[in-house]
PDB file of all heavy atoms in Angstrom:
ATOM      1  N   GLU H 119     -34.171 -11.571  25.360  1.00 89.00           N
ATOM      2  CA  GLU H 119     -32.703 -11.619  25.431  1.00 89.00           C
ATOM      3  C   GLU H 119     -32.198 -10.930  26.700  1.00 89.00           C
ATOM      4  O   GLU H 119     -31.262 -11.410  27.344  1.00 89.00           O
ATOM      5  CB  GLU H 119     -32.107 -10.957  24.191  1.00 89.00           C
ATOM      6  CG  GLU H 119     -32.277 -11.778  22.924  1.00 89.00           C
ATOM      7  CD  GLU H 119     -31.937 -11.000  21.669  1.00 89.00           C
ATOM      8  OE1 GLU H 119     -32.194  -9.774  21.622  1.00 89.00           O
ATOM      9  OE2 GLU H 119     -31.430 -11.616  20.724  1.00 89.00           O
ATOM     10  N   ALA H 120     -32.811  -9.815  27.063  1.00 87.00           N
ATOM     11  CA  ALA H 120     -32.402  -9.107  28.270  1.00 87.00           C
ATOM     12  C   ALA H 120     -32.639  -9.961  29.512  1.00 87.00           C
ATOM     13  O   ALA H 120     -31.800 -10.008  30.420  1.00 87.00           O
ATOM     14  CB  ALA H 120     -33.148  -7.778  28.379  1.00 87.00           C
ATOM     15  N   ARG H 121     -33.779 -10.654  29.557  1.00 91.00           N
ATOM     16  CA  ARG H 121     -34.057 -11.546  30.694  1.00 91.00           C
ATOM     17  C   ARG H 121     -33.035 -12.685  30.757  1.00 91.00           C
ATOM     18  O   ARG H 121     -32.587 -13.075  31.846  1.00 91.00           O
ATOM     19  CB  ARG H 121     -35.479 -12.104  30.577  1.00 91.00           C
ATOM     20  CG  ARG H 121     -36.571 -11.112  30.935  1.00 91.00           C
ATOM     21  CD  ARG H 121     -37.910 -11.801  31.109  1.00 91.00           C
ATOM     22  NE  ARG H 121     -38.360 -12.438  29.886  1.00 91.00           N
ATOM     23  CZ  ARG H 121     -39.102 -11.833  28.947  1.00 91.00           C
ATOM     24  NH1 ARG H 121     -39.462 -10.569  29.113  1.00 91.00           N
ATOM     25  NH2 ARG H 121     -39.485 -12.483  27.869  1.00 91.00           N
ATOM     26  N   ARG H 122     -32.667 -13.205  29.605  1.00 88.00           N
ATOM     27  CA  ARG H 122     -31.683 -14.285  29.579  1.00 88.00           C
ATOM     28  C   ARG H 122     -30.336 -13.800  30.115  1.00 88.00           C
ATOM     29  O   ARG H 122     -29.663 -14.504  30.876  1.00 88.00           O
ATOM     30  CB  ARG H 122     -31.529 -14.819  28.155  1.00 88.00           C
ATOM     31  CG  ARG H 122     -30.555 -15.976  28.025  1.00 88.00           C
ATOM     32  CD  ARG H 122     -30.551 -16.520  26.605  1.00 88.00           C
ATOM     33  NE  ARG H 122     -30.194 -15.505  25.635  1.00 88.00           N
ATOM     34  CZ  ARG H 122     -28.944 -15.162  25.349  1.00 88.00           C
ATOM     35  NH1 ARG H 122     -27.924 -15.734  25.982  1.00 88.00           N
ATOM     36  NH2 ARG H 122     -28.694 -14.239  24.433  1.00 88.00           N
ATOM     37  N   ARG H 123     -29.957 -12.589  29.753  1.00 90.00           N
ATOM     38  CA  ARG H 123     -28.692 -12.034  30.249  1.00 90.00           C
ATOM     39  C   ARG H 123     -28.739 -11.848  31.771  1.00 90.00           C
ATOM     40  O   ARG H 123     -27.772 -12.144  32.469  1.00 90.00           O
ATOM     41  CB  ARG H 123     -28.386 -10.700  29.560  1.00 90.00           C
ATOM     42  CG  ARG H 123     -28.063 -10.820  28.094  1.00 90.00           C
ATOM     43  CD  ARG H 123     -27.529  -9.513  27.525  1.00 90.00           C
ATOM     44  NE  ARG H 123     -27.472  -9.540  26.082  1.00 90.00           N
ATOM     45  CZ  ARG H 123     -26.515 -10.140  25.367  1.00 90.00           C
ATOM     46  NH1 ARG H 123     -25.528 -10.766  25.991  1.00 90.00           N
ATOM     47  NH2 ARG H 123     -26.541 -10.116  24.051  1.00 90.00           N
ATOM     48  N   GLU H 124     -29.854 -11.360  32.275  1.00 91.00           N
ATOM     49  CA  GLU H 124     -30.010 -11.210  33.725  1.00 91.00           C
ATOM     50  C   GLU H 124     -29.828 -12.554  34.423  1.00 91.00           C
ATOM     51  O   GLU H 124     -29.146 -12.656  35.452  1.00 91.00           O
ATOM     52  CB  GLU H 124     -31.401 -10.642  34.043  1.00 91.00           C
ATOM     53  CG  GLU H 124     -31.576  -9.164  33.734  1.00 91.00           C
ATOM     54  CD  GLU H 124     -31.036  -8.276  34.850  1.00 91.00           C
ATOM     55  OE1 GLU H 124     -30.322  -8.784  35.733  1.00 91.00           O
ATOM     56  OE2 GLU H 124     -31.338  -7.070  34.811  1.00 91.00           O
ATOM     57  N   GLY H 125     -30.426 -13.594  33.852  1.00 88.00           N
ATOM     58  CA  GLY H 125     -30.298 -14.912  34.447  1.00 88.00           C
ATOM     59  C   GLY H 125     -28.866 -15.423  34.422  1.00 88.00           C
ATOM     60  O   GLY H 125     -28.405 -16.036  35.400  1.00 88.00           O
ATOM     61  N   LEU H 126     -28.145 -15.165  33.342  1.00 86.00           N
ATOM     62  CA  LEU H 126     -26.758 -15.607  33.246  1.00 86.00           C
ATOM     63  C   LEU H 126     -25.880 -14.882  34.259  1.00 86.00           C
ATOM     64  O   LEU H 126     -24.978 -15.479  34.867  1.00 86.00           O
ATOM     65  CB  LEU H 126     -26.237 -15.388  31.828  1.00 86.00           C
ATOM     66  CG  LEU H 126     -26.847 -16.292  30.753  1.00 86.00           C
ATOM     67  CD1 LEU H 126     -26.430 -15.826  29.365  1.00 86.00           C
ATOM     68  CD2 LEU H 126     -26.450 -17.736  30.969  1.00 86.00           C
ATOM     69  N   ILE H 127     -26.142 -13.593  34.462  1.00 88.00           N
ATOM     70  CA  ILE H 127     -25.397 -12.844  35.474  1.00 88.00           C
ATOM     71  C   ILE H 127     -25.645 -13.429  36.856  1.00 88.00           C
ATOM     72  O   ILE H 127     -24.715 -13.640  37.644  1.00 88.00           O
ATOM     73  CB  ILE H 127     -25.780 -11.347  35.426  1.00 88.00           C
ATOM     74  CG1 ILE H 127     -25.245 -10.697  34.158  1.00 88.00           C
ATOM     75  CG2 ILE H 127     -25.250 -10.618  36.666  1.00 88.00           C
ATOM     76  CD1 ILE H 127     -25.710  -9.269  33.954  1.00 88.00           C
ATOM     77  N   GLN H 128     -26.915 -13.711  37.149  1.00 89.00           N
ATOM     78  CA  GLN H 128     -27.257 -14.264  38.470  1.00 89.00           C
ATOM     79  C   GLN H 128     -26.588 -15.612  38.692  1.00 89.00           C
ATOM     80  O   GLN H 128     -26.058 -15.887  39.771  1.00 89.00           O
ATOM     81  CB  GLN H 128     -28.770 -14.368  38.600  1.00 89.00           C
ATOM     82  CG  GLN H 128     -29.467 -13.011  38.679  1.00 89.00           C
ATOM     83  CD  GLN H 128     -30.977 -13.114  38.572  1.00 89.00           C
ATOM     84  OE1 GLN H 128     -31.536 -14.210  38.539  1.00 89.00           O
ATOM     85  NE2 GLN H 128     -31.647 -11.965  38.509  1.00 89.00           N
ATOM     86  N   LEU H 129     -26.573 -16.456  37.676  1.00 83.00           N
ATOM     87  CA  LEU H 129     -25.911 -17.756  37.799  1.00 83.00           C
ATOM     88  C   LEU H 129     -24.413 -17.582  38.041  1.00 83.00           C
ATOM     89  O   LEU H 129     -23.826 -18.263  38.895  1.00 83.00           O
ATOM     90  CB  LEU H 129     -26.146 -18.588  36.540  1.00 83.00           C
ATOM     91  CG  LEU H 129     -27.520 -19.241  36.382  1.00 83.00           C
ATOM     92  CD1 LEU H 129     -27.632 -19.891  35.014  1.00 83.00           C
ATOM     93  CD2 LEU H 129     -27.747 -20.277  37.479  1.00 83.00           C
ATOM     94  N   ALA H 130     -23.805 -16.678  37.294  1.00 86.00           N
ATOM     95  CA  ALA H 130     -22.371 -16.465  37.450  1.00 86.00           C
ATOM     96  C   ALA H 130     -22.035 -15.911  38.832  1.00 86.00           C
ATOM     97  O   ALA H 130     -21.031 -16.299  39.443  1.00 86.00           O
ATOM     98  CB  ALA H 130     -21.865 -15.516  36.367  1.00 86.00           C
ATOM     99  N   GLU H 131     -22.889 -15.032  39.337  1.00 85.00           N
ATOM    100  CA  GLU H 131     -22.607 -14.407  40.635  1.00 85.00           C
ATOM    101  C   GLU H 131     -22.666 -15.411  41.783  1.00 85.00           C
ATOM    102  O   GLU H 131     -22.027 -15.205  42.815  1.00 85.00           O
ATOM    103  CB  GLU H 131     -23.581 -13.250  40.870  1.00 85.00           C
ATOM    104  CG  GLU H 131     -23.269 -12.033  40.004  1.00 85.00           C
ATOM    105  CD  GLU H 131     -24.267 -10.909  40.175  1.00 85.00           C
ATOM    106  OE1 GLU H 131     -25.421 -11.179  40.594  1.00 85.00           O
ATOM    107  OE2 GLU H 131     -23.914  -9.760  39.865  1.00 85.00           O
ATOM    108  N   VAL H 132     -23.413 -16.498  41.598  1.00 83.00           N
ATOM    109  CA  VAL H 132     -23.454 -17.513  42.662  1.00 83.00           C
ATOM    110  C   VAL H 132     -22.506 -18.674  42.371  1.00 83.00           C
ATOM    111  O   VAL H 132     -22.552 -19.706  43.023  1.00 83.00           O
ATOM    112  CB  VAL H 132     -24.887 -18.050  42.888  1.00 83.00           C
ATOM    113  CG1 VAL H 132     -25.806 -16.933  43.325  1.00 83.00           C
ATOM    114  CG2 VAL H 132     -25.428 -18.749  41.648  1.00 83.00           C
TER     115      VAL H 132
END
Side-chain angles (χ1 to χ4, degrees):
E119 288 169 325
R121 285 193 298 271
R122 182 175 59 83
R123 292 190 192 281
E124 286 278 13
L126 291 170
I127 290 173
Q128 291 170 6
L129 283 174
E131 287 177 337
V132 298

